[in-house]
Amino acid sequence: MLPLSVVAAESIQPVIQGKVYQDWYMKPEKLAKPNKVIKGGRDECNDRYFPDQWKFGSYTVLANGQIQEVYFRDNNTVIFHHQRIPYNLDQAAFKKKFKNHIFETDDKNVIDAGVEGSNDSIEFIFKNGKLFKYRLNIDDC
C-alpha cells in the first residue's frame, strides 16, 4: 500500500490560497497562528490521540500538518483527476464531469470520492447547489 502523500498526488491536489500542494501536508512550523484551536481527543480505534485542529479563515490543518478541510474561497480549490475545479461549479455539473470517480452519500449535499489505493476518501460538500468545501477522511484503523 502506498503512503497517502504519494496516492494523493496522482488524483487529488489541494490548492490553498493559490498554492498547489502535491500531497495533503503543510509544514506546521511555517503556518501563522490559527484563528482557533480545537483540542484533539482520544481515538478509540487505535488507542492514540487525534491531533489538535488548527482552524484558519478558509482551511483547517491538523497539528501534524495534515490538511483536513478547505473552503472554496480565498483562491482555494482542488485539482481532482487532473482538473482544477472552479469555485462556482454547481452540483449537477460536478456530478456529470466526475461521474466515474464519485459516489453519492445519504446526505444530498455531500458527494464522496475514494482515494485510489486506500480506504481514504474526499468529501465534496455543497451549499445551495454550489461547491462549498472539501474534506479529507483518513481511515487509520
Side-chain angles (χ1 to χ4, degrees):
M1 188 167 168
L2 295 173
L4 177 63
S5 60
V6 173
V7 175
E10 293 177 10
S11 61
I12 303 168
Q13 294 174 293
V15 179
I16 299 175
Q17 297 177 337
K19 181 178 179 189
V20 178
Y21 289 84
Q22 298 303 312
D23 57 29
W24 283 89
Y25 288 89
M26 300 175 123
K27 294 181 179 175
E29 65 275 6
K30 293 194 174 199
L31 295 173
K33 183 179 177 185
N35 297 347
K36 183 178 183 181
V37 174
I38 299 173
K39 291 290 184 190
R42 186 170 182 275
D43 180 358
E44 295 179 13
C45 176
N46 58 26
D47 202 31
R48 295 185 312 198
Y49 280 84
F50 290 114
D52 294 348
Q53 292 180 13
W54 295 351
K55 294 205 169 265
F56 296 90
S58 63
Y59 61 96
T60 301
V61 178
L62 299 181
N64 63 6
Q66 179 190 315
I67 299 166
Q68 183 179 33
E69 184 174 76
V70 181
Y71 289 85
F72 281 92
R73 63 175 188 254
D74 300 334
N75 288 323
N76 296 343
T77 186
V78 64
I79 298 171
F80 185 60
H81 291 278
H82 309 289
Q83 296 183 49
R84 187 179 291 254
I85 298 179
Y87 74 93
N88 60 351
L89 188 63
D90 68 40
Q91 194 166 3
F94 182 89
K95 286 180 186 180
K96 183 176 179 182
K97 187 173 200 162
F98 297 108
K99 64 184 173 200
N100 295 329
H101 305 291
I102 60 172
F103 54 93
E104 295 186 56
T105 65
D106 292 336
D107 184 338
K108 69 178 182 144
N109 295 313
V110 177
I111 295 176
D112 225 350
V115 175
E116 296 167 10
S118 76
N119 292 329
D120 303 328
S121 66
I122 181 172
E123 289 180 329
F124 294 95
I125 295 101
F126 293 80
K127 185 175 182 178
N128 299 324
K130 300 283 185 187
L131 274 170
F132 180 62
K133 66 182 175 179
Y134 59 93
R135 179 180 324 144
L136 182 66
N137 295 310
I138 302 288
D139 180 8
D140 62 356
C141 276

